[in-house]
Amino acid sequence: MYYVSVIHQIEVAVNTIIKIIDNLSEEDLQKRPTPNKHSLGELLEHLVVICEADWRIANEASKEEMADFYSEVSYKTLESIKEGLLINLKALKSNCRKLTEEELLTETTSYWGLTYSRYEWLLEILAHVYHHRGQLHAMLVHCYDQDPGIPMFE
């Protein structure tokens, strides 16, 4: 089915994030280029949960369920961040494989009222991951003069 191409692009993004992480030190996680905004570690922690969190939202998790999910999130080391990215990507791929085409095209509504088909939610996950990957790259390059030298696209 056509969702396979979307999953592939999410996989490309996750793999490049992992390559970027391989160029970081644990101390880099504390860097905060803008006061009152995410540190590199907080941004990476957010990136880890996108596949899982956004999939839950796509399947109509309540605001309370999402708050519980987020309260349990803790990825504080480079190794745990890389591991979490791969685990959550694997779960997303597994969840998508189980869907029929009809289920993929079924519309679901987020707890704040946004309605998309599950396929559109997958596109949202893709855009969300690429957005924050771009933020991470820009923070490293423009704020810390740390160009990871990683090709960002195939």
Side-chain angles (χ1 to χ4, degrees), residues 26-142:
E26 295 293 333
E27 294 76 33
D28 288 330
L29 296 176
Q30 304 308 313
K31 292 179 177 175
R32 186 179 309 276
T34 306
N36 301 317
K37 296 292 182 184
H38 288 309
S39 67
L40 290 176
E42 291 163 342
L43 176 59
L44 284 165
E45 191 171 51
H46 178 67
L47 269 160
V48 170
V49 300
I50 290 172
C51 288
E52 178 64 25
D54 288 8
W55 186 251
R56 288 174 184 230
I57 291 166
N59 285 284
E60 300 185 325
S62 69
K63 184 176 184 176
E64 295 75 22
E65 290 169 326
M66 292 310 299
D68 289 344
F69 169 74
Y70 289 126
S71 73
E72 296 174 6
V73 168
S74 181
Y75 298 94
K76 303 300 182 198
T77 67
L78 295 172
E79 198 55 42
S80 69
I81 290 166
K82 290 192 305 186
E83 185 177 310
L85 282 163
L86 293 172
I87 288 169
N88 289 332
L89 174 61
K90 183 178 179 181
L92 179 64
K93 288 166 67 172
S94 176
N95 288 327
C96 287
R97 270 194 288 267
K98 296 173 188 173
L99 295 177
T100 65
E101 186 166 354
E102 183 179 328
E103 290 169 324
L104 193 61
L105 297 176
T106 298
E107 290 187 341
T108 62
T109 303
S110 68
Y111 65 83
W112 64 87
L114 184 62
T115 300
Y116 287 149
S117 70
R118 283 194 185 92
Y119 180 72
E120 288 176 295
W121 282 112
L122 276 177
L123 294 175
E124 187 279 333
I125 292 169
L126 174 63
H128 197 175
V129 171
Y130 269 77
H131 164 72
H132 288 303
R133 184 189 68 164
Q135 278 186 315
L136 174 64
H137 188 267
M139 288 164 72
L140 289 169
V141 170
H142 300 294

